[in-house]
PDB file of all heavy atoms in Angstrom:
ATOM      1  N   ARG Z 147      -3.203  22.640  -8.459  1.00 91.00           N
ATOM      2  CA  ARG Z 147      -3.891  22.153  -7.264  1.00 91.00           C
ATOM      3  C   ARG Z 147      -4.300  20.692  -7.425  1.00 91.00           C
ATOM      4  O   ARG Z 147      -4.308  19.921  -6.457  1.00 91.00           O
ATOM      5  CB  ARG Z 147      -5.122  23.013  -6.978  1.00 91.00           C
ATOM      6  CG  ARG Z 147      -4.799  24.370  -6.401  1.00 91.00           C
ATOM      7  CD  ARG Z 147      -4.483  24.284  -4.925  1.00 91.00           C
ATOM      8  NE  ARG Z 147      -5.669  24.041  -4.129  1.00 91.00           N
ATOM      9  CZ  ARG Z 147      -5.661  23.769  -2.831  1.00 91.00           C
ATOM     10  NH1 ARG Z 147      -4.508  23.649  -2.191  1.00 91.00           N
ATOM     11  NH2 ARG Z 147      -6.776  23.583  -2.156  1.00 91.00           N
ATOM     12  N   ILE Z 148      -4.643  20.299  -8.654  1.00 91.00           N
ATOM     13  CA  ILE Z 148      -4.966  18.890  -8.912  1.00 91.00           C
ATOM     14  C   ILE Z 148      -3.737  18.012  -8.665  1.00 91.00           C
ATOM     15  O   ILE Z 148      -3.821  16.951  -8.036  1.00 91.00           O
ATOM     16  CB  ILE Z 148      -5.481  18.729 -10.357  1.00 91.00           C
ATOM     17  CG1 ILE Z 148      -6.858  19.393 -10.497  1.00 91.00           C
ATOM     18  CG2 ILE Z 148      -5.545  17.265 -10.756  1.00 91.00           C
ATOM     19  CD1 ILE Z 148      -7.394  19.398 -11.906  1.00 91.00           C
ATOM     20  N   VAL Z 149      -2.581  18.468  -9.160  1.00 93.00           N
ATOM     21  CA  VAL Z 149      -1.342  17.718  -8.922  1.00 93.00           C
ATOM     22  C   VAL Z 149      -1.026  17.683  -7.424  1.00 93.00           C
ATOM     23  O   VAL Z 149      -0.584  16.658  -6.882  1.00 93.00           O
ATOM     24  CB  VAL Z 149      -0.183  18.346  -9.714  1.00 93.00           C
ATOM     25  CG1 VAL Z 149       1.106  17.592  -9.467  1.00 93.00           C
ATOM     26  CG2 VAL Z 149      -0.513  18.362 -11.201  1.00 93.00           C
ATOM     27  N   GLN Z 150      -1.259  18.769  -6.755  1.00 92.00           N
ATOM     28  CA  GLN Z 150      -1.016  18.829  -5.313  1.00 92.00           C
ATOM     29  C   GLN Z 150      -1.922  17.850  -4.567  1.00 92.00           C
ATOM     30  O   GLN Z 150      -1.474  17.152  -3.645  1.00 92.00           O
ATOM     31  CB  GLN Z 150      -1.257  20.257  -4.815  1.00 92.00           C
ATOM     32  CG  GLN Z 150      -0.768  20.521  -3.412  1.00 92.00           C
ATOM     33  CD  GLN Z 150      -1.088  21.946  -2.977  1.00 92.00           C
ATOM     34  OE1 GLN Z 150      -2.142  22.486  -3.304  1.00 92.00           O
ATOM     35  NE2 GLN Z 150      -0.180  22.551  -2.230  1.00 92.00           N
ATOM     36  N   ALA Z 151      -3.179  17.772  -4.976  1.00 91.00           N
ATOM     37  CA  ALA Z 151      -4.108  16.834  -4.342  1.00 91.00           C
ATOM     38  C   ALA Z 151      -3.699  15.391  -4.594  1.00 91.00           C
ATOM     39  O   ALA Z 151      -3.839  14.529  -3.714  1.00 91.00           O
ATOM     40  CB  ALA Z 151      -5.519  17.078  -4.863  1.00 91.00           C
ATOM     41  N   LEU Z 152      -3.182  15.107  -5.784  1.00 92.00           N
ATOM     42  CA  LEU Z 152      -2.707  13.762  -6.067  1.00 92.00           C
ATOM     43  C   LEU Z 152      -1.538  13.396  -5.154  1.00 92.00           C
ATOM     44  O   LEU Z 152      -1.461  12.268  -4.641  1.00 92.00           O
ATOM     45  CB  LEU Z 152      -2.295  13.660  -7.535  1.00 92.00           C
ATOM     46  CG  LEU Z 152      -1.814  12.291  -8.027  1.00 92.00           C
ATOM     47  CD1 LEU Z 152      -2.903  11.250  -7.832  1.00 92.00           C
ATOM     48  CD2 LEU Z 152      -1.390  12.376  -9.485  1.00 92.00           C
ATOM     49  N   GLY Z 153      -0.619  14.330  -4.940  1.00 92.00           N
ATOM     50  CA  GLY Z 153       0.477  14.073  -4.011  1.00 92.00           C
ATOM     51  C   GLY Z 153      -0.019  13.826  -2.599  1.00 92.00           C
ATOM     52  O   GLY Z 153       0.480  12.934  -1.897  1.00 92.00           O
ATOM     53  N   ALA Z 154      -1.011  14.601  -2.156  1.00 91.00           N
ATOM     54  CA  ALA Z 154      -1.567  14.401  -0.817  1.00 91.00           C
ATOM     55  C   ALA Z 154      -2.274  13.063  -0.705  1.00 91.00           C
ATOM     56  O   ALA Z 154      -2.195  12.390   0.335  1.00 91.00           O
ATOM     57  CB  ALA Z 154      -2.522  15.541  -0.480  1.00 91.00           C
ATOM     58  N   ALA Z 155      -2.976  12.649  -1.774  1.00 90.00           N
ATOM     59  CA  ALA Z 155      -3.672  11.362  -1.757  1.00 90.00           C
ATOM     60  C   ALA Z 155      -2.699  10.197  -1.688  1.00 90.00           C
ATOM     61  O   ALA Z 155      -3.035   9.131  -1.158  1.00 90.00           O
ATOM     62  CB  ALA Z 155      -4.548  11.235  -3.009  1.00 90.00           C
ATOM     63  N   ILE Z 156      -1.501  10.356  -2.215  1.00 92.00           N
ATOM     64  CA  ILE Z 156      -0.473   9.322  -2.103  1.00 92.00           C
ATOM     65  C   ILE Z 156       0.196   9.372  -0.728  1.00 92.00           C
ATOM     66  O   ILE Z 156       0.482   8.348  -0.109  1.00 92.00           O
ATOM     67  CB  ILE Z 156       0.580   9.486  -3.209  1.00 92.00           C
ATOM     68  CG1 ILE Z 156      -0.068   9.339  -4.589  1.00 92.00           C
ATOM     69  CG2 ILE Z 156       1.711   8.493  -3.051  1.00 92.00           C
ATOM     70  CD1 ILE Z 156       0.862   9.666  -5.738  1.00 92.00           C
ATOM     71  N   LEU Z 157       0.401  10.575  -0.227  1.00 90.00           N
ATOM     72  CA  LEU Z 157       1.146  10.777   1.011  1.00 90.00           C
ATOM     73  C   LEU Z 157       0.379  10.309   2.242  1.00 90.00           C
ATOM     74  O   LEU Z 157       0.931   9.600   3.102  1.00 90.00           O
ATOM     75  CB  LEU Z 157       1.494  12.265   1.118  1.00 90.00           C
ATOM     76  CG  LEU Z 157       1.811  12.858   2.481  1.00 90.00           C
ATOM     77  CD1 LEU Z 157       3.080  12.247   3.028  1.00 90.00           C
ATOM     78  CD2 LEU Z 157       1.928  14.372   2.387  1.00 90.00           C
ATOM     79  N   VAL Z 158      -0.884  10.681   2.356  1.00 90.00           N
ATOM     80  CA  VAL Z 158      -1.628  10.454   3.598  1.00 90.00           C
ATOM     81  C   VAL Z 158      -1.795   8.963   3.917  1.00 90.00           C
ATOM     82  O   VAL Z 158      -1.471   8.523   5.033  1.00 90.00           O
ATOM     83  CB  VAL Z 158      -2.982  11.185   3.544  1.00 90.00           C
ATOM     84  CG1 VAL Z 158      -3.862  10.774   4.724  1.00 90.00           C
ATOM     85  CG2 VAL Z 158      -2.759  12.696   3.553  1.00 90.00           C
ATOM     86  N   PRO Z 159      -2.328   8.119   3.010  1.00 89.00           N
ATOM     87  CA  PRO Z 159      -2.462   6.704   3.377  1.00 89.00           C
ATOM     88  C   PRO Z 159      -1.124   6.003   3.586  1.00 89.00           C
ATOM     89  O   PRO Z 159      -1.030   5.089   4.413  1.00 89.00           O
ATOM     90  CB  PRO Z 159      -3.222   6.101   2.183  1.00 89.00           C
ATOM     91  CG  PRO Z 159      -2.979   7.025   1.051  1.00 89.00           C
ATOM     92  CD  PRO Z 159      -2.842   8.383   1.660  1.00 89.00           C
ATOM     93  N   ALA Z 160      -0.081   6.420   2.853  1.00 90.00           N
ATOM     94  CA  ALA Z 160       1.229   5.806   3.061  1.00 90.00           C
ATOM     95  C   ALA Z 160       1.771   6.131   4.451  1.00 90.00           C
ATOM     96  O   ALA Z 160       2.363   5.269   5.117  1.00 90.00           O
ATOM     97  CB  ALA Z 160       2.201   6.277   1.988  1.00 90.00           C
ATOM     98  N   SER Z 161       1.576   7.355   4.900  1.00 89.00           N
ATOM     99  CA  SER Z 161       2.059   7.726   6.237  1.00 89.00           C
ATOM    100  C   SER Z 161       1.327   6.950   7.321  1.00 89.00           C
ATOM    101  O   SER Z 161       1.938   6.490   8.296  1.00 89.00           O
ATOM    102  CB  SER Z 161       1.908   9.231   6.446  1.00 89.00           C
ATOM    103  OG  SER Z 161       0.538   9.608   6.480  1.00 89.00           O
ATOM    104  N   LEU Z 162       0.011   6.765   7.159  1.00 89.00           N
ATOM    105  CA  LEU Z 162      -0.743   5.992   8.146  1.00 89.00           C
ATOM    106  C   LEU Z 162      -0.333   4.527   8.118  1.00 89.00           C
ATOM    107  O   LEU Z 162      -0.224   3.877   9.177  1.00 89.00           O
ATOM    108  CB  LEU Z 162      -2.237   6.136   7.876  1.00 89.00           C
ATOM    109  CG  LEU Z 162      -3.172   5.382   8.823  1.00 89.00           C
ATOM    110  CD1 LEU Z 162      -2.939   5.799  10.265  1.00 89.00           C
ATOM    111  CD2 LEU Z 162      -4.625   5.604   8.432  1.00 89.00           C
ATOM    112  N   ALA Z 163      -0.090   3.988   6.927  1.00 88.00           N
ATOM    113  CA  ALA Z 163       0.332   2.586   6.825  1.00 88.00           C
ATOM    114  C   ALA Z 163       1.692   2.370   7.486  1.00 88.00           C
ATOM    115  O   ALA Z 163       1.936   1.314   8.083  1.00 88.00           O
ATOM    116  CB  ALA Z 163       0.392   2.166   5.357  1.00 88.00           C
ATOM    117  N   LEU Z 164       2.575   3.339   7.401  1.00 89.00           N
ATOM    118  CA  LEU Z 164       3.873   3.227   8.071  1.00 89.00           C
ATOM    119  C   LEU Z 164       3.701   3.134   9.587  1.00 89.00           C
ATOM    120  O   LEU Z 164       4.401   2.369  10.261  1.00 89.00           O
ATOM    121  CB  LEU Z 164       4.744   4.437   7.714  1.00 89.00           C
ATOM    122  CG  LEU Z 164       5.320   4.467   6.299  1.00 89.00           C
ATOM    123  CD1 LEU Z 164       5.900   5.844   5.989  1.00 89.00           C
ATOM    124  CD2 LEU Z 164       6.395   3.398   6.127  1.00 89.00           C
ATOM    125  N   VAL Z 165       2.761   3.896  10.126  1.00 88.00           N
ATOM    126  CA  VAL Z 165       2.510   3.851  11.570  1.00 88.00           C
ATOM    127  C   VAL Z 165       1.918   2.507  11.962  1.00 88.00           C
ATOM    128  O   VAL Z 165       2.325   1.889  12.954  1.00 88.00           O
ATOM    129  CB  VAL Z 165       1.574   5.010  11.970  1.00 88.00           C
ATOM    130  CG1 VAL Z 165       1.174   4.897  13.444  1.00 88.00           C
ATOM    131  CG2 VAL Z 165       2.235   6.355  11.710  1.00 88.00           C
ATOM    132  N   VAL Z 166       0.956   2.015  11.200  1.00 87.00           N
ATOM    133  CA  VAL Z 166       0.323   0.734  11.506  1.00 87.00           C
ATOM    134  C   VAL Z 166       1.350  -0.397  11.463  1.00 87.00           C
ATOM    135  O   VAL Z 166       1.335  -1.311  12.300  1.00 87.00           O
ATOM    136  CB  VAL Z 166      -0.835   0.467  10.519  1.00 87.00           C
ATOM    137  CG1 VAL Z 166      -1.386  -0.934  10.698  1.00 87.00           C
ATOM    138  CG2 VAL Z 166      -1.941   1.485  10.721  1.00 87.00           C
ATOM    139  N   GLU Z 167       2.261  -0.347  10.499  1.00 85.00           N
ATOM    140  CA  GLU Z 167       3.268  -1.396  10.351  1.00 85.00           C
ATOM    141  C   GLU Z 167       4.288  -1.357  11.485  1.00 85.00           C
ATOM    142  O   GLU Z 167       4.788  -2.403  11.923  1.00 85.00           O
ATOM    143  CB  GLU Z 167       3.982  -1.217   9.008  1.00 85.00           C
ATOM    144  CG  GLU Z 167       5.179  -2.125   8.786  1.00 85.00           C
ATOM    145  CD  GLU Z 167       4.797  -3.574   8.603  1.00 85.00           C
ATOM    146  OE1 GLU Z 167       3.612  -3.848   8.313  1.00 85.00           O
ATOM    147  OE2 GLU Z 167       5.674  -4.438   8.749  1.00 85.00           O
ATOM    148  N   ALA Z 168       4.593  -0.178  12.001  1.00 83.00           N
ATOM    149  CA  ALA Z 168       5.683  -0.034  12.968  1.00 83.00           C
ATOM    150  C   ALA Z 168       5.283  -0.443  14.378  1.00 83.00           C
ATOM    151  O   ALA Z 168       6.157  -0.826  15.167  1.00 83.00           O
ATOM    152  CB  ALA Z 168       6.196   1.406  12.972  1.00 83.00           C
ATOM    153  N   PHE Z 169       4.000  -0.376  14.725  1.00 85.00           N
ATOM    154  CA  PHE Z 169       3.584  -0.586  16.107  1.00 85.00           C
ATOM    155  C   PHE Z 169       2.888  -1.930  16.272  1.00 85.00           C
ATOM    156  O   PHE Z 169       2.149  -2.369  15.382  1.00 85.00           O
ATOM    157  CB  PHE Z 169       2.638   0.532  16.552  1.00 85.00           C
ATOM    158  CG  PHE Z 169       3.343   1.823  16.882  1.00 85.00           C
ATOM    159  CD1 PHE Z 169       3.719   2.696  15.871  1.00 85.00           C
ATOM    160  CD2 PHE Z 169       3.635   2.154  18.193  1.00 85.00           C
ATOM    161  CE1 PHE Z 169       4.374   3.875  16.161  1.00 85.00           C
ATOM    162  CE2 PHE Z 169       4.282   3.339  18.501  1.00 85.00           C
ATOM    163  CZ  PHE Z 169       4.664   4.200  17.482  1.00 85.00           C
ATOM    164  N   PRO Z 170       3.083  -2.602  17.405  1.00 84.00           N
ATOM    165  CA  PRO Z 170       2.374  -3.856  17.687  1.00 84.00           C
ATOM    166  C   PRO Z 170       0.898  -3.581  17.943  1.00 84.00           C
ATOM    167  O   PRO Z 170       0.502  -2.437  18.224  1.00 84.00           O
ATOM    168  CB  PRO Z 170       3.077  -4.385  18.943  1.00 84.00           C
ATOM    169  CG  PRO Z 170       3.648  -3.160  19.600  1.00 84.00           C
ATOM    170  CD  PRO Z 170       4.014  -2.228  18.491  1.00 84.00           C
ATOM    171  N   PRO Z 171       0.044  -4.616  17.837  1.00 80.00           N
ATOM    172  CA  PRO Z 171      -1.405  -4.394  17.990  1.00 80.00           C
ATOM    173  C   PRO Z 171      -1.800  -3.739  19.299  1.00 80.00           C
ATOM    174  O   PRO Z 171      -2.745  -2.946  19.334  1.00 80.00           O
ATOM    175  CB  PRO Z 171      -1.979  -5.813  17.866  1.00 80.00           C
ATOM    176  CG  PRO Z 171      -0.976  -6.559  17.056  1.00 80.00           C
ATOM    177  CD  PRO Z 171       0.362  -6.005  17.450  1.00 80.00           C
ATOM    178  N   ASP Z 172      -1.103  -4.046  20.403  1.00 77.00           N
ATOM    179  CA  ASP Z 172      -1.523  -3.493  21.682  1.00 77.00           C
ATOM    180  C   ASP Z 172      -1.218  -2.008  21.816  1.00 77.00           C
ATOM    181  O   ASP Z 172      -1.763  -1.343  22.707  1.00 77.00           O
ATOM    182  CB  ASP Z 172      -0.856  -4.266  22.824  1.00 77.00           C
ATOM    183  CG  ASP Z 172       0.658  -4.237  22.741  1.00 77.00           C
ATOM    184  OD1 ASP Z 172       1.187  -4.090  21.616  1.00 77.00           O
ATOM    185  OD2 ASP Z 172       1.316  -4.337  23.799  1.00 77.00           O
ATOM    186  N   ARG Z 173      -0.370  -1.455  20.958  1.00 80.00           N
ATOM    187  CA  ARG Z 173      -0.039  -0.034  21.015  1.00 80.00           C
ATOM    188  C   ARG Z 173      -0.439   0.715  19.743  1.00 80.00           C
ATOM    189  O   ARG Z 173      -0.181   1.897  19.615  1.00 80.00           O
ATOM    190  CB  ARG Z 173       1.464   0.133  21.244  1.00 80.00           C
ATOM    191  CG  ARG Z 173       1.971  -0.499  22.524  1.00 80.00           C
ATOM    192  CD  ARG Z 173       3.463  -0.353  22.631  1.00 80.00           C
ATOM    193  NE  ARG Z 173       3.863   1.039  22.555  1.00 80.00           N
ATOM    194  CZ  ARG Z 173       5.101   1.443  22.278  1.00 80.00           C
ATOM    195  NH1 ARG Z 173       6.034   0.547  22.035  1.00 80.00           N
ATOM    196  NH2 ARG Z 173       5.394   2.719  22.224  1.00 80.00           N
ATOM    197  N   ARG Z 174      -1.054   0.015  18.827  1.00 81.00           N
ATOM    198  CA  ARG Z 174      -1.333   0.601  17.515  1.00 81.00           C
ATOM    199  C   ARG Z 174      -2.385   1.702  17.596  1.00 81.00           C
ATOM    200  O   ARG Z 174      -2.258   2.741  16.936  1.00 81.00           O
ATOM    201  CB  ARG Z 174      -1.780  -0.509  16.572  1.00 81.00           C
ATOM    202  CG  ARG Z 174      -1.881  -0.108  15.115  1.00 81.00           C
ATOM    203  CD  ARG Z 174      -2.056  -1.335  14.264  1.00 81.00           C
ATOM    204  NE  ARG Z 174      -0.861  -2.181  14.297  1.00 81.00           N
ATOM    205  CZ  ARG Z 174      -0.862  -3.472  13.969  1.00 81.00           C
ATOM    206  NH1 ARG Z 174      -1.983  -4.066  13.624  1.00 81.00           N
ATOM    207  NH2 ARG Z 174       0.266  -4.157  14.006  1.00 81.00           N
ATOM    208  N   SER Z 175      -3.424   1.493  18.373  1.00 77.00           N
ATOM    209  CA  SER Z 175      -4.491   2.498  18.451  1.00 77.00           C
ATOM    210  C   SER Z 175      -3.961   3.821  19.012  1.00 77.00           C
ATOM    211  O   SER Z 175      -4.337   4.906  18.530  1.00 77.00           O
ATOM    212  CB  SER Z 175      -5.640   1.978  19.318  1.00 77.00           C
ATOM    213  OG  SER Z 175      -6.226   0.841  18.736  1.00 77.00           O
ATOM    214  N   HIS Z 176      -3.105   3.737  20.017  1.00 77.00           N
ATOM    215  CA  HIS Z 176      -2.539   4.960  20.583  1.00 77.00           C
ATOM    216  C   HIS Z 176      -1.670   5.675  19.555  1.00 77.00           C
ATOM    217  O   HIS Z 176      -1.701   6.910  19.444  1.00 77.00           O
ATOM    218  CB  HIS Z 176      -1.726   4.616  21.824  1.00 77.00           C
ATOM    219  CG  HIS Z 176      -1.127   5.814  22.506  1.00 77.00           C
ATOM    220  ND1 HIS Z 176      -1.866   6.936  22.813  1.00 77.00           N
ATOM    221  CD2 HIS Z 176       0.144   6.069  22.925  1.00 77.00           C
ATOM    222  CE1 HIS Z 176      -1.082   7.833  23.405  1.00 77.00           C
ATOM    223  NE2 HIS Z 176       0.136   7.336  23.473  1.00 77.00           N
ATOM    224  N   ALA Z 177      -0.920   4.904  18.771  1.00 83.00           N
ATOM    225  CA  ALA Z 177      -0.076   5.510  17.738  1.00 83.00           C
ATOM    226  C   ALA Z 177      -0.925   6.185  16.671  1.00 83.00           C
ATOM    227  O   ALA Z 177      -0.602   7.292  16.204  1.00 83.00           O
ATOM    228  CB  ALA Z 177       0.825   4.445  17.113  1.00 83.00           C
ATOM    229  N   ILE Z 178      -2.017   5.548  16.274  1.00 82.00           N
ATOM    230  CA  ILE Z 178      -2.901   6.159  15.283  1.00 82.00           C
ATOM    231  C   ILE Z 178      -3.524   7.428  15.849  1.00 82.00           C
ATOM    232  O   ILE Z 178      -3.731   8.419  15.126  1.00 82.00           O
ATOM    233  CB  ILE Z 178      -3.967   5.146  14.847  1.00 82.00           C
ATOM    234  CG1 ILE Z 178      -3.305   3.984  14.098  1.00 82.00           C
ATOM    235  CG2 ILE Z 178      -5.025   5.810  13.965  1.00 82.00           C
ATOM    236  CD1 ILE Z 178      -4.266   2.876  13.728  1.00 82.00           C
ATOM    237  N   GLY Z 179      -3.833   7.411  17.152  1.00 79.00           N
ATOM    238  CA  GLY Z 179      -4.355   8.625  17.772  1.00 79.00           C
ATOM    239  C   GLY Z 179      -3.363   9.774  17.721  1.00 79.00           C
ATOM    240  O   GLY Z 179      -3.733  10.920  17.467  1.00 79.00           O
ATOM    241  N   LEU Z 180      -2.086   9.465  17.947  1.00 81.00           N
ATOM    242  CA  LEU Z 180      -1.062  10.504  17.851  1.00 81.00           C
ATOM    243  C   LEU Z 180      -0.906  10.987  16.416  1.00 81.00           C
ATOM    244  O   LEU Z 180      -0.680  12.181  16.174  1.00 81.00           O
ATOM    245  CB  LEU Z 180       0.271   9.964  18.376  1.00 81.00           C
ATOM    246  CG  LEU Z 180       0.323   9.653  19.872  1.00 81.00           C
ATOM    247  CD1 LEU Z 180       1.653   9.000  20.230  1.00 81.00           C
ATOM    248  CD2 LEU Z 180       0.127  10.923  20.697  1.00 81.00           C
ATOM    249  N   TRP Z 181      -1.004  10.070  15.467  1.00 85.00           N
ATOM    250  CA  TRP Z 181      -0.971  10.467  14.051  1.00 85.00           C
ATOM    251  C   TRP Z 181      -2.121  11.412  13.734  1.00 85.00           C
ATOM    252  O   TRP Z 181      -1.952  12.424  13.054  1.00 85.00           O
ATOM    253  CB  TRP Z 181      -1.025   9.220  13.180  1.00 85.00           C
ATOM    254  CG  TRP Z 181      -0.998   9.477  11.707  1.00 85.00           C
ATOM    255  CD1 TRP Z 181       0.109   9.612  10.923  1.00 85.00           C
ATOM    256  CD2 TRP Z 181      -2.127   9.633  10.832  1.00 85.00           C
ATOM    257  NE1 TRP Z 181      -0.257   9.838   9.614  1.00 85.00           N
ATOM    258  CE2 TRP Z 181      -1.621   9.852   9.526  1.00 85.00           C
ATOM    259  CE3 TRP Z 181      -3.499   9.609  11.017  1.00 85.00           C
ATOM    260  CZ2 TRP Z 181      -2.454  10.047   8.426  1.00 85.00           C
ATOM    261  CZ3 TRP Z 181      -4.335   9.799   9.929  1.00 85.00           C
ATOM    262  CH2 TRP Z 181      -3.806  10.006   8.656  1.00 85.00           C
ATOM    263  N   GLY Z 182      -3.304  11.093  14.234  1.00 79.00           N
ATOM    264  CA  GLY Z 182      -4.447  11.986  14.039  1.00 79.00           C
ATOM    265  C   GLY Z 182      -4.280  13.313  14.758  1.00 79.00           C
ATOM    266  O   GLY Z 182      -4.761  14.344  14.280  1.00 79.00           O
ATOM    267  N   ALA Z 183      -3.576  13.286  15.887  1.00 79.00           N
ATOM    268  CA  ALA Z 183      -3.333  14.532  16.603  1.00 79.00           C
ATOM    269  C   ALA Z 183      -2.483  15.486  15.779  1.00 79.00           C
ATOM    270  O   ALA Z 183      -2.648  16.712  15.859  1.00 79.00           O
ATOM    271  CB  ALA Z 183      -2.661  14.242  17.946  1.00 79.00           C
ATOM    272  N   SER Z 184      -1.563  14.939  14.975  1.00 80.00           N
ATOM    273  CA  SER Z 184      -0.755  15.814  14.122  1.00 80.00           C
ATOM    274  C   SER Z 184      -1.613  16.517  13.085  1.00 80.00           C
ATOM    275  O   SER Z 184      -1.380  17.689  12.762  1.00 80.00           O
ATOM    276  CB  SER Z 184       0.344  14.991  13.437  1.00 80.00           C
ATOM    277  OG  SER Z 184      -0.214  14.074  12.508  1.00 80.00           O
ATOM    278  N   ALA Z 185      -2.629  15.816  12.564  1.00 77.00           N
ATOM    279  CA  ALA Z 185      -3.549  16.456  11.622  1.00 77.00           C
ATOM    280  C   ALA Z 185      -4.361  17.544  12.320  1.00 77.00           C
ATOM    281  O   ALA Z 185      -4.595  18.626  11.748  1.00 77.00           O
ATOM    282  CB  ALA Z 185      -4.479  15.412  11.006  1.00 77.00           C
ATOM    283  N   ALA Z 186      -4.796  17.268  13.548  1.00 75.00           N
ATOM    284  CA  ALA Z 186      -5.531  18.298  14.295  1.00 75.00           C
ATOM    285  C   ALA Z 186      -4.642  19.496  14.608  1.00 75.00           C
ATOM    286  O   ALA Z 186      -5.087  20.651  14.564  1.00 75.00           O
ATOM    287  CB  ALA Z 186      -6.081  17.702  15.593  1.00 75.00           C
ATOM    288  N   LEU Z 187      -3.372  19.222  14.911  1.00 78.00           N
ATOM    289  CA  LEU Z 187      -2.446  20.329  15.169  1.00 78.00           C
ATOM    290  C   LEU Z 187      -2.243  21.171  13.914  1.00 78.00           C
ATOM    291  O   LEU Z 187      -2.157  22.403  13.990  1.00 78.00           O
ATOM    292  CB  LEU Z 187      -1.111  19.761  15.653  1.00 78.00           C
ATOM    293  CG  LEU Z 187      -0.040  20.770  16.064  1.00 78.00           C
ATOM    294  CD1 LEU Z 187      -0.524  21.598  17.247  1.00 78.00           C
ATOM    295  CD2 LEU Z 187       1.267  20.060  16.409  1.00 78.00           C
ATOM    296  N   ALA Z 188      -2.175  20.513  12.766  1.00 80.00           N
ATOM    297  CA  ALA Z 188      -2.061  21.255  11.500  1.00 80.00           C
ATOM    298  C   ALA Z 188      -3.286  22.122  11.273  1.00 80.00           C
ATOM    299  O   ALA Z 188      -3.181  23.260  10.792  1.00 80.00           O
ATOM    300  CB  ALA Z 188      -1.870  20.283  10.345  1.00 80.00           C
ATOM    301  N   SER Z 189      -4.465  21.604  11.618  1.00 74.00           N
ATOM    302  CA  SER Z 189      -5.685  22.395  11.483  1.00 74.00           C
ATOM    303  C   SER Z 189      -5.673  23.614  12.389  1.00 74.00           C
ATOM    304  O   SER Z 189      -6.312  24.630  12.091  1.00 74.00           O
ATOM    305  CB  SER Z 189      -6.905  21.518  11.802  1.00 74.00           C
ATOM    306  OG  SER Z 189      -6.963  20.406  10.945  1.00 74.00           O
ATOM    307  N   GLY Z 190      -4.942  23.514  13.523  1.00 74.00           N
ATOM    308  CA  GLY Z 190      -4.864  24.652  14.416  1.00 74.00           C
ATOM    309  C   GLY Z 190      -3.806  25.657  14.028  1.00 74.00           C
ATOM    310  O   GLY Z 190      -4.011  26.875  14.169  1.00 74.00           O
ATOM    311  N   LEU Z 191      -2.676  25.178  13.516  1.00 78.00           N
ATOM    312  CA  LEU Z 191      -1.600  26.086  13.158  1.00 78.00           C
ATOM    313  C   LEU Z 191      -1.768  26.674  11.758  1.00 78.00           C
ATOM    314  O   LEU Z 191      -1.240  27.744  11.470  1.00 78.00           O
ATOM    315  CB  LEU Z 191      -0.251  25.361  13.238  1.00 78.00           C
ATOM    316  CG  LEU Z 191       0.178  24.882  14.631  1.00 78.00           C
ATOM    317  CD1 LEU Z 191       1.519  24.187  14.559  1.00 78.00           C
ATOM    318  CD2 LEU Z 191       0.241  26.062  15.594  1.00 78.00           C
ATOM    319  N   GLY Z 192      -2.487  25.970  10.878  1.00 77.00           N
ATOM    320  CA  GLY Z 192      -2.659  26.456   9.516  1.00 77.00           C
ATOM    321  C   GLY Z 192      -3.331  27.821   9.418  1.00 77.00           C
ATOM    322  O   GLY Z 192      -2.817  28.720   8.726  1.00 77.00           O
TER     323      GLY Z 192
END
């Protein structure tokens, strides 16, 4: 579980950084909101 948490700690900020890099400033907040929606969806389906 410790190894699993380390993988998650590497995965989560990298995925958010990919979203921030891909979108222009005027659309970035909406993209981050959709990224957060995926986490909320996981909390519902889990």
